[in-house]
Amino acid sequence: MNKRGTMRARGAALAAGAMLWCAGAHAANWFEIQGVSPPGWGKAHFSGWVEPDYTAKQAGTARNGKVPRSNLVGPGFEHSQELSIQRAQLVVGGRLNPHVDYYVAGEFGDNGYTHGGNGYAPKLIDGHVLLSGYVPGVRVEAGILRAPGPEAAMDGYPAYSFIALFPTVIGQLMQPSFYARGQHYASAGAGGYLIPSASMSSNNGFRYPGVEATDWFRPRPRLELAYGLMLGEYGKQFEADTGNGPILAGRAQASWLFGGGRGAFRNDLTGFVWYQQARPELNGSASTLRRSGLGVTLRQGYMVPGGRSLKVEAMQGSGDIAAPSPFVQAPGLLPAQVDTIVYPGSNNTAHGYYLSAGLFLTRNIEVDARYDYYDRLPNLAAQERVFKNLGVGVQYHFSPLTRVVLDYFSRRVDIAHPEAIGPANSPARLLAQSTAAAMGNELDMYAIVSF
């Protein structure tokens, strides 16, 4: 591990609270788990979690002799193998009185949230209060909030089955990096604009500063309904140059409770729908960004032999579709190869889905499988790319929130219409095809240690 990663590990270790409350929450909907403090926390409770990680990707090269960014480990994209502290949080939360809960978390890991265009810096990742009991049927949450949206954006890191969740539909469609709003960017053709890496911010971890109305109900003993409706600022929090107008986000869900389990690991079947909309500016012109999706989750028997889980979710988007640069900065490469291209306008679209399943062979050993599919820019023949990831993994659970994980992903990207790029032997087409063919598989070994 490099010195930078070691320093982050030392500074982080207390953030399992982001999920430690999950084991004690009365019900496993994310609106309650992420808003209401467990009774045992009192007025101030410190907790934390840390995630050391080793990632190795096959380092195939493209026709130009360069290793594509897809074969380099983020967020630095310097090497194909890396040992780091991927995530680490320090948390304080509690209940000030029967009506006011609060939660504050700092992120210290080496990831796409802390590592932006200006390098690494620890950042506040959560900071909100929840007001309950003042208005029947409405709880008000304000501060830095997870925007209501996809399941992988709503649950917390210790609940994930795989580390490599974000290279496909969730990462590219729902976890964008943000560009400086006030700059003018060169055209990339086909309605896209070149955004240099120096103008790109880190991602926002699915979070926005804003206010949310939320609540949950039990119309029947086994039926739970929940909703969240949020108004926030689109962009990277604490970076004024990326603030880009309001974002409206909402999610509704219904859960059938089987009984047993607690918190994020209760036994239930949940169906959900969600929607997000914003109107960010690019080169002084605003266009509508939309994201929507629906899915189903099943959880039965966490850390119980034969216990199983299932997630199925589909989503789509239009406007501000980002095509990350295929290569990192290097002499002799064209801007189109080292700059992210953003395609505004509702005519630019993308869609995808994922399926994830897990099975406990014993109380401690869980096996998992996952498939991701993402079709980016099917409306632009020369730019369309189809990403497909198939992953398998095994986990050893020491406790509900402390485990070690080994997973392996077969990764592939297809060029849907190579003929639209150029003739069969043209340099542009050959480079694009060799870049896609160079995408290698990925091995991850990591641990989640909570305390």
Side-chain angles (χ1 to χ4, degrees):
M1 183 183 302
N2 57 35
K3 182 178 180 181
R4 183 180 64 181
T6 302
M7 292 175 65
R8 289 171 200 162
R10 293 173 181 170
L14 282 179
M19 277 284 116
L20 282 178
W21 69 42
C22 293
H26 296 295
N29 76 74
W30 300 117
F31 298 110
E32 179 175 5
I33 289 173
Q34 296 167 11
V36 178
S37 303
W41 276 24
K43 291 188 176 181
H45 177 86
F46 291 89
S47 55
W49 61 276
V50 62
E51 184 184 308
D53 165 67
Y54 171 74
T55 297
K57 298 184 178 183
Q58 293 179 320
T61 57
R63 183 179 175 87
N64 60 6
K66 306 297 181 183
V67 177
R69 182 184 290 263
S70 60
N71 291 344
L72 300 173
V73 180
F77 299 103
E78 297 176 350
H79 310 287
S80 291
Q81 301 182 47
E82 193 164 303
L83 178 64
S84 68
I85 300 299
Q86 179 70 254
R87 301 180 183 94
Q89 290 187 16
L90 173 66
V91 174
V92 60
R95 178 167 296 180
L96 300 180
N97 62 50
H99 303 290
V100 180
D101 295 85
Y102 75 96
Y103 183 79
V104 179
E107 174 60 70
F108 299 85
D110 190 6
N111 54 59
Y113 184 83
T114 58
H115 196 286
N118 296 322
Y120 167 83
K123 292 183 173 69
L124 187 69
I125 193 169
D126 281 295
H128 60 258
V129 296
L130 178 72
L131 307 179
S132 305
Y134 294 105
V135 180
V138 178
R139 302 170 190 254
V140 178
E141 197 167 12
I144 301 172
L145 311 173
R146 292 177 188 261
E151 183 71 8
M154 298 291 289
D155 64 13
Y157 291 126
Y160 289 158
S161 295
F162 290 107
I163 192 172
L165 287 177
F166 302 136
T168 50
V169 60
I170 292 289
Q172 292 199 46
L173 188 60
M174 301 305 305
Q175 180 90 311
S177 295
F178 297 92
Y179 51 84
R181 177 183 182 182
Q183 297 186 22
H184 182 85
Y185 300 106
S187 172
Y193 296 91
L194 294 169
I195 314 292
S197 58
S199 299
M200 297 294 291
S201 170
S202 55
N203 66 54
N204 68 347
F206 307 112
R207 295 160 171 86
Y208 301 91
V211 61
E212 179 178 41
T214 183
D215 211 349
W216 43 93
F217 315 93
R218 292 279 183 91
R220 297 175 59 183
R222 290 186 176 273
L223 177 63
E224 179 185 79
L225 306 177
Y227 78 91
L229 184 63
M230 175 183 173
L231 179 64
E233 181 185 39
Y234 185 77
K236 178 71 170 71
Q237 55 267 37
F238 307 119
E239 295 184 16
D241 60 337
T242 69
N244 214 332
I247 178 172
L248 178 68
R251 171 169 159 142
Q253 62 187 52
S255 300
W256 185 258
L257 312 181
F258 300 126
R262 294 188 301 170
F265 312 115
R266 77 176 183 188
N267 300 322
D268 68 4
L269 175 66
T270 297
F272 57 88
V273 295
W274 56 267
Y275 180 81
Q276 298 180 1
Q277 181 171 316
R279 253 187 96 72
E281 287 187 9
L282 182 57
N283 280 7
S285 178
S287 60
T288 300
L289 173 154
R290 293 186 177 91
R291 305 288 188 264
S292 60
L294 74 167
V296 176
T297 66
L298 170 70
R299 306 174 184 87
Q300 273 190 305
Y302 190 79
M303 290 191 70
V304 174
R308 54 195 180 272
S309 63
L310 175 69
K311 294 181 182 179
V312 180
E313 185 171 11
M315 62 197 74
Q316 61 183 359
S318 62
D320 265 37
I321 303 299
S325 55
F327 300 99
V328 296
Q329 193 69 46
L333 295 181
L334 299 173
Q337 298 175 26
V338 298
D339 293 344
T340 294
I341 305 178
V342 174
Y343 294 87
S346 58
N347 56 308
N348 293 307
T349 64
H351 63 270
Y353 63 89
Y354 67 87
L355 304 93
S356 179
L359 175 66
F360 278 91
L361 302 180
T362 70
R363 181 181 184 276
N364 304 103
I365 299 174
E366 180 185 7
V367 293
D368 301 274
R370 179 182 176 94
Y371 180 75
D372 292 87
Y373 176 93
Y374 178 54
D375 188 347
R376 189 180 73 197
L377 294 167
N379 58 294
L380 298 175
Q383 307 301 325
E384 183 178 11
R385 300 292 185 271
V386 180
F387 299 84
K388 303 172 183 178
N389 282 10
L390 176 62
V392 294
V394 60
Q395 308 185 57
Y396 188 90
H397 298 258
F398 296 95
S399 72
L401 295 174
T402 296
R403 57 198 165 109
V404 293
V405 185
L406 172 67
D407 57 42
Y408 184 81
F409 280 84
S410 171
R411 305 184 306 150
R412 175 178 172 180
V413 57
D414 294 332
I415 300 176
H417 303 283
E419 71 284 355
I421 300 174
N425 294 317
S426 65
R429 179 169 170 177
L430 291 174
L431 178 59
Q433 290 177 314
S434 69
T435 302
M439 178 176 279
N441 296 338
E442 176 179 340
L443 173 73
D444 299 297
M445 294 184 291
Y446 65 102
I448 293 176
V449 182
S450 305
F451 51 91

